[in-house]
């Protein structure tokens, strides 16, 4: 007699059926997709048994877009319509893209405040280009797994800001994918290496891809992966190695300007030469010009190393800063993990080994490692059973806060805070009868709003009219596991609430991020002095407003001489507040406070008398 299958409450009738989930490494140069099968993560290949999908999309006015190797074939004949390295443009402004070294390869146009590639198929945004790559990968997975995907985990550089992360999610949504989580590429690499199976310790993930660089310092403690610090440059990678070679070739061949088609071909030649240095010491670059003549140059590995050394030094500088932020000495680091195809470069490996004093781990394919880690995380998040649970704790790269009176920044969540995180702080009104409040969300390390970056604004209306300082407005910052920010403001008496999902139209450039952190250290003392001055000015104005309103309301309690004396002191305080003598402002506030105490007592007595009018002793 056959067995009858039943299911436990809350379980599917087919308890052994796994949910289909994948991890996607949406890369600058190549993209990959991976999944967990039979307990092992593996990448999914195309029909030619190649796991790599070139992150290239070709647009045509009459055909569907071509993606990957098919698109590369069109790059010479239709360069303007073939988009490479779209990841470098995600979350960037029109001016950011215009200043990029790669902008000369495309016609860039701004439409509805969004930068677009101008192609024969129309205006195409970087988000749309990325979505085509994601669609192609998802189709590969559905064919291989013979089913619909129930969730994906997409990796992003650790130093991607909110705009770049949101643009990545927008691309996935446009591709029809259910994003379980965005996780940082270094964290995914740690999973792929199985670092969670090692003893507790500190690990550095050095991730140099085609267009981005990331470094993360991870601490493993009792099954919890915590990112202690992170750093990076979202416009530094193997593409820059190619550009360095291309610029050298142009200089050596005395070629001042090239058409976009020839520049594209030269970059392809440069990439081929770069990759050949993993197994040989010389490479021959050739380029056929528009007039049919051929130009060739031989590049030796020593010259190549000279061309890229300054780029590698930039990555090492970021590594030092990440360790300094976490107050970690290089000697404390247990392992250095190499991620990204550009780490195959011999000079990169030797420089990293020299910096950390140990040979880095390179035993997992650096091209595949991020996708494999994303697949492991996707398998867990979608609900498939695993032998062990692993908690991943990432951090935010820059402090988040709001603007307060005087243009000061009140930091709600400091940089390098573990996410997901929710933090709230109470604020109040500045003027009597205030019924609305403007909330200005900012990002940065400085004390003044003018030195930080604006992320968004929204307003809270419906605050009950009360005296200044009586209202209680609770402002809550929530950063989810994807690093995306939501800010809400709630007036606690009426329950009125307003909120905003912070979605900037463009991201910070890596240079700006680095400059913001550097400036916060260099200007720390001056910033605090400025903050103290502004705080005293705000306190002086607040006190002057409150006392002035009280005099206007209850001037009948004062003699004319007392009234004029207090008004003169208020005017004197306001004049002092225009200057920069903090001590003088403080002393004037104290003096005015002491001189107005008699008036405050008179007002209190008068208020009590008014409250007792018509009341009997028994009622009291």
């Amino acid at each position: 007699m056959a067995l009858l299958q039943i299911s436990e409450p809350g379980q599917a009738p087919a308890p052994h059926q796994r949910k289909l989930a994948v991890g996607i490494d949406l890369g600058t140069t190549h993209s990959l997709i991976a999944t967990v099968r039979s307990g092992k993560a593996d990448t999914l290949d195309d029909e030619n048994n190649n796991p790599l999908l070139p992150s290239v999309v070709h647009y045509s006015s009459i055909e569907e877009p071509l993606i990957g190797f098919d698109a590369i074939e069109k790059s010479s004949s239709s360069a303007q319509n073939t988009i490479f390295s779209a990841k470098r443009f995600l979350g960037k402004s029109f001016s950011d893209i215009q200043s990029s070294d790669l902008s000369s390869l495309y016609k860039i146009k701004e439409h509805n405040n969004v930068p677009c590639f101008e192609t024969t198929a129309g205006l195409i945004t970087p988000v749309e280009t990325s979505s085509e790559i994601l669609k192609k990968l998802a189709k590969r997975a559905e064919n291989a797994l013979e089913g619909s995907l129930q969730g994906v985990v997409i990796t992003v550089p650790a130093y991607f800001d909110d705009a770049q992360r949101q643009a990545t999610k927008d691309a996935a949504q446009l591709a029809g994918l259910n994003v379980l989580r965005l996780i940082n590429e270094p964290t995914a690499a740690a999973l792929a290496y199985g670092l969670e199976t090692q003893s507790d310790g500190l690990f550095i993930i050095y991730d140099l891809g085609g267009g981005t660089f990331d470094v993360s310092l991870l601490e493993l403690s009792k099954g919890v992966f915590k990112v202690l610090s992170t750093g990076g440059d979202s416009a530094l990678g193997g593409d820059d190695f190619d550009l360095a070679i291309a610029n050298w070739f142009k200089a050596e061949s005395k070629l001042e300007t090239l058409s976009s088609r020839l520049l594209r071909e030269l970059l392809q030649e440069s990439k081929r030469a770069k990759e050949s240095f993993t197994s040989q010491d010389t490479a021959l670059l050739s380029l056929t010009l528009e007039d049919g003549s051929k130009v060739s140059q031989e590049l030796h590995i020593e010259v190549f190393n000279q061309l890229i050394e300054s780029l590698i030094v930039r990555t090492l500088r970021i590594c030092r800063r990440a360790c300094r932020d976490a107050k970690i000495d290089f000697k404390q680091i247990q392992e250095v993990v190499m991620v990204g195809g550009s780490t195959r470069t011999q000079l990169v490996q030797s420089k990293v080994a020299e910096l950390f004093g140990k040979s880095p781990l390179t035993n997992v394919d650096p091209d595949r490692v991020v996708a494999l880690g994303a697949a492991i995380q996707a398998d867990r998040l979608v609900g498939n059973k695993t032998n062990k649970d692993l908690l991943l704790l990432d951090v935010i790269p820059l402090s988040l806060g709001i603007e307060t009176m005087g243009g000061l920044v009140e930091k709600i969540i400091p940089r390098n805070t573990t996410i997901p995180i929710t933090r709230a702080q109470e604020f109040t009104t500045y003027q009597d009868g205030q019924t609305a409040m403007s909330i200005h969300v900012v990002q940065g390390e400085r004390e003044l709003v003018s030195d930080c970056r604006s992320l968004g604004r929204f307003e809270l209306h419906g605050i009950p009219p009360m005296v200044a300082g009586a209202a209680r407005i609770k402002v809550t910052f929530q950063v989810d596991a994807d690093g995306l920010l939501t800010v809400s403001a709630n007036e606690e008496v009426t329950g009125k609430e307003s909120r905003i999902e912070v979605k900037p139209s463009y991201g910070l450039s890596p240079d700006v991020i680095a400059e913001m952190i550097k400036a916060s250290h260099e200007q720390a003392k001056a910033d605090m002095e400025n903050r103290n001055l502004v705080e005293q000015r705000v306190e002086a104005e607040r006190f002057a407003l409150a006392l002035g309103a009280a005099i206007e309301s209850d001037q009948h309690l004062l003699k004319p001489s007392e009234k004029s004396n207090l008004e003169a002191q208020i005017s004197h305080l306001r004049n002092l507040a225009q200057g920069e003598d903090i001590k003088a402002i403080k002393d004037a506030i104290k003096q005015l406070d002491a001189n107005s105490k008699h008036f405050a007592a008179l007002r209190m007595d008068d208020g009590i008398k008014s409250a007792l009018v018509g009341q009997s002793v028994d009622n009291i």
Side-chain angles (χ1 to χ4, degrees):
M1 181 179 292
L3 293 173
L4 176 64
Q5 179 174 304
I6 61 173
S7 62
E8 295 294 330
Q11 289 187 356
H16 304 296
Q17 184 177 350
R18 295 179 65 83
K19 298 176 181 177
L20 300 183
V22 294
I24 294 178
D25 175 9
L26 181 61
T28 307
T29 308
H30 295 97
S31 296
L32 301 92
I33 190 164
T35 192
V36 174
R37 290 188 285 194
S38 301
K40 183 180 179 181
D42 198 7
T43 50
L44 301 174
D45 298 344
D46 62 14
E47 59 275 9
N48 297 316
N49 298 320
N50 191 342
L52 300 178
L53 175 70
S55 300
V56 184
V57 180
H58 172 77
Y59 291 94
S60 166
S61 59
I62 57 175
E63 297 176 335
E64 290 295 310
L66 299 176
I67 299 99
F69 293 104
D70 293 337
I72 290 177
E73 292 179 0
K74 297 284 187 178
S75 62
S76 295
S77 60
S78 184
Q80 293 289 346
N81 298 305
T82 308
I83 311 301
F84 285 73
S85 303
K87 181 177 178 177
R88 278 197 144 175
F89 303 125
L90 282 175
K92 297 294 183 71
S93 71
F94 178 69
S95 60
D96 288 337
I97 292 179
Q98 283 288 79
S99 62
S100 166
D101 289 334
L102 298 176
S103 63
S104 59
L105 298 175
Y106 312 105
K107 292 181 180 178
I108 309 293
K109 188 173 182 180
E110 191 171 21
H111 179 66
N112 293 333
N113 298 321
V114 177
C116 302
F117 302 111
E118 192 171 356
T119 73
T120 56
L123 296 178
I124 305 295
T125 66
V127 167
E128 291 174 304
T129 301
S130 299
S131 75
E132 295 293 345
I133 297 168
L134 291 172
K135 286 178 190 176
K136 182 83 171 181
L137 291 171
K139 186 67 176 176
R140 179 190 297 184
E142 288 175 349
N143 291 339
L145 301 176
E146 299 180 347
S148 299
L149 298 179
Q150 293 168 280
V152 302
V153 167
I154 301 177
T155 62
V156 292
Y159 230 52
F160 255 25
D161 65 18
D162 194 82
Q164 292 166 306
R165 291 170 188 268
Q166 186 62 57
T168 304
K169 290 197 80 170
D170 290 345
Q173 184 177 6
L174 192 59
L177 300 176
N178 173 33
V179 180
L180 301 170
R181 181 80 52 86
L182 298 180
I183 69 169
N184 290 342
E185 290 167 2
T187 308
L191 288 177
Y193 263 95
L195 297 185
E196 75 274 18
T197 64
Q198 299 193 20
S199 58
D200 290 358
L202 299 170
F203 303 89
I204 278 277
I205 314 296
Y206 180 99
D207 184 354
L208 185 60
T212 59
F213 171 70
D214 275 306
V215 62
S216 287
L217 179 59
L218 307 182
E219 179 185 43
L220 176 63
S221 178
K222 298 178 181 178
V224 176
F225 254 135
K226 181 178 182 181
V227 181
L228 299 183
S229 65
T230 185
D233 190 329
S234 60
L236 173 60
D239 286 351
D240 298 280
F241 293 4
D242 301 342
L243 281 168
I245 296 173
N247 290 333
W248 168 86
F249 183 93
K250 286 168 62 179
E252 291 293 311
S253 304
K254 296 180 173 54
L255 300 173
E256 294 184 2
T257 57
L258 294 176
S259 66
S260 58
R261 180 187 69 81
L262 285 176
L263 181 56
R264 186 69 57 82
E265 289 183 4
L266 178 55
L267 286 173
Q268 290 290 347
E269 272 288 283
S270 300
K271 180 181 178 183
R272 182 192 58 76
K274 174 191 68 177
E275 292 173 350
S276 72
F277 285 131
T278 59
S279 58
Q280 60 190 48
D281 292 339
T282 59
L284 182 66
L285 289 86
S286 298
L287 185 67
T288 302
L289 303 181
E290 302 285 2
D291 60 5
S293 62
K294 193 171 185 179
V295 181
S296 299
Q297 295 290 342
E298 187 174 73
L299 178 62
H300 195 274
I301 192 169
E302 290 182 358
V303 177
F304 171 65
N305 288 342
Q306 292 172 9
L307 294 173
I308 66 171
E309 185 171 11
S310 62
L311 298 170
I312 299 173
V313 168
R314 281 169 59 186
T315 71
L316 302 181
R317 194 180 302 128
I318 295 169
C319 291
R320 290 190 183 95
R321 186 168 63 231
C323 291
R324 188 167 59 247
D325 286 347
K327 297 178 174 60
I328 295 298
D329 188 270
F330 292 156
K331 296 178 182 177
Q332 297 174 258
I333 295 170
Q334 190 168 320
E335 296 286 0
V336 180
V337 176
M338 301 295 270
V339 180
S342 298
T343 60
R344 289 191 175 95
T345 306
Q346 295 175 19
L347 187 62
V348 171
Q349 294 188 13
S350 63
K351 287 288 187 181
V352 170
E354 180 183 335
L355 176 66
F356 292 103
K358 54 172 59 70
S359 297
L361 296 178
T362 57
N363 51 303
V364 177
D365 185 342
D367 283 322
R368 300 168 66 241
V369 61
V370 168
L372 295 175
I376 293 170
Q377 183 69 350
D379 196 52
R380 288 167 175 159
L381 291 176
V382 82
N384 292 329
K385 291 183 179 180
T386 59
N387 296 327
K388 51 186 175 294
D389 292 324
L390 177 69
L391 183 59
L392 299 174
L393 301 176
D394 280 322
V395 296
I396 61 171
L398 289 171
S399 299
L400 301 167
I402 68 170
E403 178 180 359
T404 57
M405 289 304 301
L408 295 176
V409 176
E410 183 65 26
K411 292 184 177 70
I412 308 295
I413 304 179
R415 65 184 290 255
N416 281 334
T417 296
T418 300
I419 59 173
I421 181 73
T422 299
R423 284 193 181 167
Q425 194 164 324
E426 280 194 351
F427 296 87
T428 190
T429 50
Y430 181 72
Q431 293 182 328
D432 292 345
Q434 185 174 339
T435 59
M437 179 178 285
S438 175
I439 312 293
H440 182 197
V441 183
V442 296
Q443 178 186 43
E445 306 308 312
R446 303 290 293 277
E447 298 296 329
L448 300 181
V449 169
S450 57
D451 295 321
C452 293
R453 182 209 182 193
S454 173
L455 291 183
R457 298 173 185 265
F458 67 103
E459 293 183 350
L460 175 65
H461 294 276
I463 301 172
M466 293 181 265
V467 296
R472 289 291 177 267
I473 291 89
K474 183 179 181 181
V475 178
T476 303
F477 275 53
Q478 182 176 9
V479 182
D480 64 18
D482 297 325
L484 301 178
L485 171 65
T486 301
V487 181
S488 63
N490 177 270
E491 200 291 304
E492 297 191 337
V493 174
T494 62
K496 293 283 186 181
E497 183 178 81
S498 184
R499 64 193 294 116
I500 182 175
E501 289 185 2
V502 178
K503 186 178 179 181
S505 59
Y506 58 88
L508 289 176
S509 72
D511 290 340
V512 171
I513 291 177
E515 188 59 35
M516 289 172 77
I517 296 173
K518 180 182 177 183
S520 72
H521 294 302
E522 293 177 348
Q523 303 294 329
K525 184 177 180 180
D527 281 354
M528 288 309 300
E529 290 175 354
N530 286 335
R531 184 181 184 93
N532 289 337
L533 175 61
V534 173
E535 285 178 340
Q536 288 307 313
R537 286 174 172 172
V538 170
E539 178 63 17
E541 182 61 23
R542 186 197 65 79
F543 192 77
L545 278 174
L547 184 54
I551 292 173
E552 182 71 24
S553 174
D554 295 321
Q555 55 185 303
H556 63 280
L557 300 175
L558 293 169
K559 297 175 183 179
S561 60
E562 292 174 329
K563 177 175 179 288
S564 61
N565 184 37
L566 287 176
E567 288 177 338
Q569 289 185 61
I570 290 174
S571 179
H572 176 63
L573 174 61
R574 281 181 162 150
N575 286 334
L576 284 175
Q578 299 301 312
E580 298 186 358
D581 191 335
I582 297 176
K583 185 176 184 302
I585 300 172
K586 276 185 177 180
D587 291 344
I589 293 173
K590 288 181 181 178
Q591 187 63 44
L592 184 55
D593 183 42
N595 293 344
S596 62
K597 285 188 184 300
H598 175 63
F599 177 43
L602 291 176
R603 295 187 73 213
M604 184 175 293
D605 290 344
D606 188 61
I608 293 173
K609 287 178 184 178
S610 299
L612 293 179
V613 171
Q615 301 288 333
S616 68
V617 175
D618 292 337
N619 289 338
I620 296 174

